[in-house]
Amino acid sequence: MRELKVADNMRELRTANEYSQEFISKLIHIARQTYSLYETGKRPPDLKSVCYLANLYGVSVDMLLYADLSAKQIADSSTDEHFAIASETSAIPISGADARMLANYKSLSPELQKEVREFVLFKKKLFEAAQTPKKEKK
């Protein structure tokens, strides 16, 4: 069974976004002291709070619970943690590095997200063009 990292991730994401415990606790309708217990690992967060926080930070519940979202770990893309993006009909497995990349993407403004999508499509077209054998001219 994977190690739960939710307490560390809650603290890491909150501080990275420069939110106070008071601010987050008001958002999820709990006492600040209760939120503090979540971050210190002295009390596990309830499912409703986990879902709300995952949505707030743009990460999956799976990532919030199990991934190492520390700044050091986000910079290190060599991890072999695995996650999945799930829909009602299927799940796509992704690596920890890909999950962090998606989390970083989700933290961008809608305008920057559009630029990233356009860049990825551009790079994909370049890659496909390089893979296509060129016809010889006579």
Side-chain angles (χ1 to χ4, degrees), residues 9-20 23-24 27 35 39 51-60 64 69 102-104 106-107:
N9 289 338
M10 288 173 67
R11 183 176 47 258
E12 186 72 31
L13 291 167
R14 179 184 58 77
T15 57
N17 285 279
E18 299 180 358
Y19 296 145
S20 67
F23 176 76
I24 296 296
L27 283 177
Y35 185 83
E39 280 194 3
C51 292
Y52 188 88
L53 291 169
N55 187 50
L56 173 69
Y57 296 122
V59 298
S60 69
L64 185 62
L69 299 176
L102 181 59
N104 287 330
K106 294 290 285 179
S107 71

Side-chain angles (χ1 to χ4, degrees), residues 2-55:
R2 294 189 289 182
E3 177 186 353
L4 279 174
K5 298 181 180 176
V6 65
D8 293 335
N9 289 338
M10 288 173 67
R11 183 176 47 258
E12 186 72 31
L13 291 167
R14 179 184 58 77
T15 57
N17 285 279
E18 299 180 358
Y19 296 145
S20 67
Q21 286 186 348
E22 186 72 29
F23 176 76
I24 296 296
S25 63
K26 285 181 181 179
L27 283 177
I28 60 178
H29 307 291
I30 61 172
R32 192 212 47 83
Q33 294 83 353
T34 302
Y35 185 83
S36 179
L37 292 173
Y38 292 170
E39 280 194 3
T40 58
K42 294 179 180 171
R43 179 175 173 180
D46 60 85
L47 183 57
K48 184 177 175 182
S49 294
V50 169
C51 292
Y52 188 88
L53 291 169
N55 187 50

Side-chain angles (χ1 to χ4, degrees), residues 56-124:
L56 173 69
Y57 296 122
V59 298
S60 69
V61 169
D62 193 36
M63 284 183 66
L64 185 62
L65 293 174
Y66 299 110
D68 184 346
L69 299 176
S70 66
K72 177 187 176 294
Q73 192 65 24
I74 288 172
D76 177 14
S77 62
S78 64
T79 183
D80 58 358
E81 291 180 279
H82 293 280
F83 303 93
I85 298 174
S87 69
E88 291 183 17
T89 58
S90 65
I92 303 167
I94 61 173
S95 70
D98 290 341
R100 282 187 303 283
M101 181 175 59
L102 181 59
N104 287 330
Y105 167 81
K106 294 290 285 179
S107 71
L108 298 174
S109 69
E111 296 82 18
L112 288 176
Q113 287 180 5
K114 182 180 179 205
E115 286 182 33
V116 169
R117 289 190 305 271
E118 289 171 352
F119 177 75
V120 168
L121 290 174
F122 170 74
K123 293 299 276 186
K124 182 181 177 205

